[in-house]
Amino acid sequence: SRFAGDEGQKTVEDFLAAIKEEIATGMSVKSAIQSGFKKALSAIVDGNVTTIIAAVILLFRGSGTVRGFAQTLLIGVILSMFTALVITRLILLALYAVGLQDEKFYGRAKERKVFDFVSKRWICIAISLVLIVGGFAVMAVQHFSGNHAMNFSMEFLGGTSSNVTFNEAMDIDRLSAEVGPVVEEVTGDANVQFQTVEGTNEVIIKTRTLNSEERIQLNDALEEKFGIDKELINAESISATVSDEMRSDAVIAVVLATICMLLYIWFRFSDVRFAGSAIIALLHDVLIVLGFYALSRISVGNTFIACMLTIVGYSINATIVIFDRIRENLKMSAKPDLKEVVNKSITQTLTRSIYTTLTTFVTIAVLWIMGVSSIREFAAPIMVGLIAGVYSSVFLTGSIWYMLRTKFVKKD
């Protein structure tokens, strides 16, 4: 839901940025509102349609958590796009009609010094390769040291279910606040699930698979902290809730969504190199976050799938905005300097990319600071993904397109 809301925010910001640019060309405010809407429409539509395509495929091809995520995402993006395209425009026209006609209320785009992003492309590519290879190296070290490459949760590997009878009835909130930290201290894993048994003081605590020594430590800790009779604690192993079929469905759904987004971008921009650059950026962001999961040993569970899908959607949207500006600037010259066009386009959209990422990052950071462990395990990878997404959009996609365009030139 947060991601869908941010999609609407980015759509509004694209609209407002276009208005400022039109005012800077000397247009009146009213003309700038009308022209800005038309100018921003293609970027708004393309950015949201790619996300909708992914959501539809995930909805029909995914299962379980993936399908629930896709349904929420689809509804949210459609509603936010309608709000931004219709409601925001009407509000601006209404404000103009009631007297807010001075351009100071809307702003004027400033001419910014163009930064040479393309010339720095090899440095940026080297940084990305180091981070990605480093992530794979961490996975290999974990694997050969006897652990899993990543810290898979009980949803993927199964776990241990402990039936504990407390001296008084406890609700889920209290269990998370008081019992959760005690269990986490023993297991070293924040992925702890509680289930109460109605009409009794019994609670089912689900954790990663515990060995006999860890089970004894957990029983002793619960007895010490809550005065329960550890002889009444029963523990048993539980199977994984995410089956191999669900995992394969999720992977297939993501692959199909990526292919369809590639085809749409190819169709809309009439250049497969735009699509290829976007997919490389998506792969970059996913691999960076995978490396972070491996390094931080954050639990990989159902939220992992939603986290990856959120990052993919964020990255593709920011990339589309830059590509739309490149397409627009290419039309302004019969024989454009491709390097100059890319640098200019990224510079023109840089403020938008930074602001939209920053506002979302602040919100997620607050969740990470104030939230419980399970929320933190979702928020931390999202923050890394946001940084990786804006980095790839600004420093990689335009440069990769430039390299592909100059390497594989269309014949007249």
Side-chain angles (χ1 to χ4, degrees):
S1 298
R2 172 62 192 168
F3 170 64
D6 288 322
E7 288 294 292
Q9 170 197 323
K10 289 186 283 187
T11 302
V12 172
E13 290 181 356
D14 291 335
F15 182 23
L16 297 178
I19 293 175
K20 293 179 181 180
E21 291 174 1
E22 296 301 279
I23 291 176
T25 63
M27 282 190 180
S28 65
V29 172
K30 186 173 183 180
S31 298
I33 293 175
Q34 299 289 0
S35 178
F37 174 80
K38 295 178 182 178
K39 185 177 179 180
L41 185 60
S42 61
I44 292 172
V45 171
D46 289 339
N48 284 279
V49 167
T50 50
T51 305
I52 290 173
I53 288 173
V56 169
I57 292 175
L58 294 172
L59 180 63
F60 288 100
R61 190 63 183 84
S63 57
T65 304
V66 176
R67 182 171 293 176
F69 176 87
Q71 185 177 22
T72 305
L73 175 61
L74 182 62
I75 295 172
V77 171
I78 291 175
L79 289 176
S80 64
M81 187 167 64
F82 171 79
T83 302
L85 293 179
V86 179
I87 305 301
T88 302
R89 183 186 178 203
L90 292 177
I91 290 174
L92 287 175
L93 290 173
L95 291 174
Y96 180 86
V98 299
L100 298 181
Q101 300 179 1
D102 195 308
E103 71 173 48
K104 68 181 181 182
F105 295 112
Y106 303 89
R108 175 187 288 264
K110 298 179 181 178
E111 189 68 27
R112 300 182 183 277
K113 182 180 179 180
V114 176
F115 183 79
D116 193 356
F117 292 94
V118 175
S119 295
K120 304 294 189 295
R121 63 186 182 277
W122 293 115
I123 297 176
C124 298
I125 291 173
I127 293 173
S128 296
L129 288 176
V130 168
L131 293 175
I132 291 171
V133 172
F136 281 115
V138 171
M139 294 181 198
V141 170
Q142 293 289 349
H143 175 74
F144 288 111
S145 63
N147 300 319
H148 292 282
M150 291 189 289
N151 181 24
F152 293 103
S153 69
M154 70 184 78
E155 287 91 354
F156 286 86
L157 299 177
T160 298
S161 175
S162 302
N163 287 51
V164 183
T165 302
F166 288 87
N167 297 325
E168 57 181 319
M170 303 180 71
D171 57 24
I172 296 297
D173 291 337
R174 187 178 174 189
L175 288 168
S176 299
E178 298 180 14
V179 183
V182 176
V183 179
E184 290 174 29
E185 186 176 352
V186 174
T187 63
D189 184 9
N191 187 25
V192 181
Q193 299 177 7
F194 296 101
Q195 180 180 346
T196 58
V197 179
E198 188 175 358
T200 69
N201 296 342
E202 186 178 353
V203 175
I204 300 173
I205 304 174
K206 297 180 180 179
T207 64
R208 65 169 177 80
T209 302
L210 305 179
N211 56 38
S212 57
E213 183 179 345
E214 290 173 326
R215 290 185 182 186
I216 293 173
Q217 291 178 357
L218 178 60
N219 294 350
D220 291 340
L222 291 174
E223 180 184 40
E224 179 183 349
K225 296 290 184 180
F226 303 101
I228 62 176
D229 185 357
K230 64 180 182 180
E231 299 298 328
L232 299 179
I233 300 177
N234 298 316
E236 60 182 5
S237 298
I238 54 176
S239 60
T241 58
V242 178
S243 65
D244 291 337
E245 182 180 359
M246 288 179 66
R247 274 181 277 186
S248 63
D249 283 346
V251 172
I252 293 172
V254 172
V255 171
L256 287 176
T258 302
I259 293 173
C260 288
M261 285 192 291
L262 186 151
L263 294 174
Y264 177 80
I265 297 171
W266 184 1
F267 169 75
R268 285 290 293 155
F269 289 87
S270 302
D271 188 346
V272 70
R273 288 162 292 197
F274 279 116
S277 303
I279 298 306
I280 291 173
L282 292 183
L283 182 61
H284 165 274
D285 299 342
V286 168
L287 292 178
I288 291 293
V289 177
L290 278 177
F292 175 75
Y293 267 103
L295 180 63
S296 64
R297 304 304 291 173
I298 289 179
S299 179
V300 177
N302 282 329
T303 56
F304 169 79
I305 299 172
C307 177
M308 286 300 181
L309 296 177
T310 301
I311 292 166
V312 166
Y314 235 94
S315 178
I316 194 67
N317 191 288
T319 299
I320 288 292
V321 171
I322 294 175
F323 284 171
D324 184 77
R325 188 56 61 94
I326 291 175
R327 176 176 58 181
E328 181 181 324
N329 288 332
L330 284 173
K331 296 177 181 177
M332 295 181 179
S333 176
K335 293 184 178 180
D337 182 336
L338 294 180
K339 184 176 180 180
E340 182 181 346
V341 166
V342 172
N343 289 330
K344 182 179 179 181
S345 300
I346 297 174
T347 301
Q348 290 174 336
T349 58
L350 184 60
T351 301
R352 182 266 189 198
S353 299
I354 293 175
Y355 284 170
T356 53
T357 301
L358 185 61
T359 53
T360 306
F361 185 89
V362 169
T363 303
I364 302 299
V366 171
L367 291 177
W368 183 79
I369 295 171
M370 304 294 292
V372 296
S373 298
S374 58
I375 296 296
R376 289 182 176 181
E377 289 197 344
F378 179 77
I382 289 290
M383 289 191 291
V384 174
L386 288 174
I387 296 173
V390 72
Y391 173 81
S392 65
S393 296
V394 172
F395 293 99
L396 296 180
T397 50
S399 296
I400 292 173
W401 175 83
Y402 170 80
M403 294 165 64
L404 295 176
R405 179 69 181 257
T406 52
K407 183 69 175 178
F408 305 101
V409 183
K410 288 183 178 180
K411 293 182 179 180
D412 292 335

